[in-house]
Amino acid sequence: MHHSGGSAAGYAPLAEHLPPTWRVLAVELPGRGASVGESACGDMAGLMARIAPAVLENTGDRYAVFGHSLGALVAYELVREAERRGTPPVWLGVSGSPAPHRIRDRPLERRDLWPRERLVAFLRELGGTPEEMLEIPDVVDYMVNVLRADLRIVDTYEHIDGPPLSTPVSVFSGDADPLAAHELLGGWRERTLAPASFHTWPGGHFYLFDHPESFCKSLVADVNSALSGTPTVAREEMEDAESHG
């Protein structure tokens, strides 16, 4: 599940570091990429109504779910729905996002209501967008429209209380991410009865694309532990990109 303003194609740099035996499904949220002609969703409930059936009907008996930023919230809500249906995944990975019930604890305003210029500045501030793309007006208009729709989902999101997940959770983050402060990440422990592990890399909001190989090695290790039925014990560690090859 991709970040606000992103698309399924954004995960291409990570795909080459995943096992060739894995079947990888990169979800494209409405309004961009392959789904550019579809209308965007206005809130999380509407988004879940559109993507949950399609995703959950295309998973096997053993599957894992991962999401970054907006995608982390989408992944969490998808797993909640999967557990309600009695078809839970073996593992949930979330990245670059406060715990869902802690979203309102960070300073937040309706960023989807920001003017175009401020949204462009926001893209520059976070990084991850080539500067040359931000110099092409038509491209910027497209990116701003997609980003605005996605931020509406995040900034209107209200966590509905319910039982914690039974799925193991791995939490990934960059140590300088302005959108996912350390104190807001710990709340993920409260959203699962299973073990939770925490991995941190040097970098900002898009740290995972700066360390694709080491990031994927940690992700694969945690998924394989969950698949084996012996999920890793709860832990918190700072990843060293060089030590992962």
Side-chain angles (χ1 to χ4, degrees):
M1 310 294 174
H2 59 72
H3 60 275
S4 294
S7 70
Y11 282 123
L14 303 183
E16 62 183 278
H17 300 291
L18 297 175
T21 55
W22 283 16
R23 177 180 177 232
V24 179
L25 301 176
V27 176
E28 191 93 86
L29 299 189
R32 87 281 329 270
S35 62
V36 69
E38 299 180 23
S39 59
C41 294
D43 54 31
M44 185 65 76
L47 181 58
M48 279 295 105
R50 290 177 69 171
I51 71 168
V55 174
L56 296 178
E57 290 169 10
N58 281 282
T59 57
D61 294 334
R62 300 199 304 171
Y63 68 99
V65 179
F66 172 80
H68 175 65
S69 196
L70 162 64
L73 296 178
V74 176
Y76 166 73
E77 291 293 344
L78 181 67
V79 173
R80 292 182 102 184
E81 177 60 24
E83 291 197 356
R84 283 191 286 265
R85 295 182 180 208
T87 57
V90 298
W91 176 88
L92 168 62
V94 293
S95 168
S97 174
H101 61 296
R102 299 293 305 277
I103 287 287
R104 295 298 163 202
D105 292 350
R106 71 181 184 187
L108 193 64
E109 56 183 303
R110 287 287 301 274
R111 294 168 296 178
D112 62 298
L113 302 179
W114 284 355
R116 179 183 186 277
E117 294 73 19
R118 191 170 180 186
L119 286 171
V120 173
F122 182 59
L123 287 170
R124 282 197 171 97
E125 177 186 349
L126 290 181
T129 304
E131 182 61 32
E132 56 268 25
M133 295 180 65
L134 296 176
E135 300 297 333
I136 306 174
D138 289 346
V139 173
V140 173
D141 288 342
Y142 167 78
M143 289 192 296
V144 165
N145 288 337
V146 171
L147 178 63
R148 192 185 300 279
D150 291 349
L151 290 176
R152 184 181 306 120
I153 296 173
V154 178
D155 292 351
T156 61
Y157 176 78
E158 296 282 352
H159 182 257
I160 299 175
D161 196 25
L165 301 176
S166 59
T167 302
V169 176
S170 295
V171 182
F172 303 89
S173 62
D175 65 353
D177 185 351
L179 301 184
H182 182 79
E183 63 270 16
L184 300 181
L185 294 172
W188 282 106
R189 290 189 182 92
E190 303 167 28
R191 299 316 312 154
T192 182
L193 299 174
S197 60
F198 292 75
H199 306 272
T200 303
W201 277 263
H205 192 58
F206 295 109
Y207 72 92
L208 64 170
F209 300 112
D210 295 329
H211 311 285
E213 185 173 1
S214 62
F215 172 80
C216 286
K217 284 187 175 181
S218 289
L219 183 152
V220 171
D222 282 9
V223 172
N224 284 339
S225 294
L227 282 169
S228 70
T230 55
T232 52
V233 296
R235 67 185 187 276
E236 184 165 354
E237 59 193 36
M238 178 71 177
E239 300 293 333
D240 180 350
E242 294 182 358
S243 71
H244 287 74

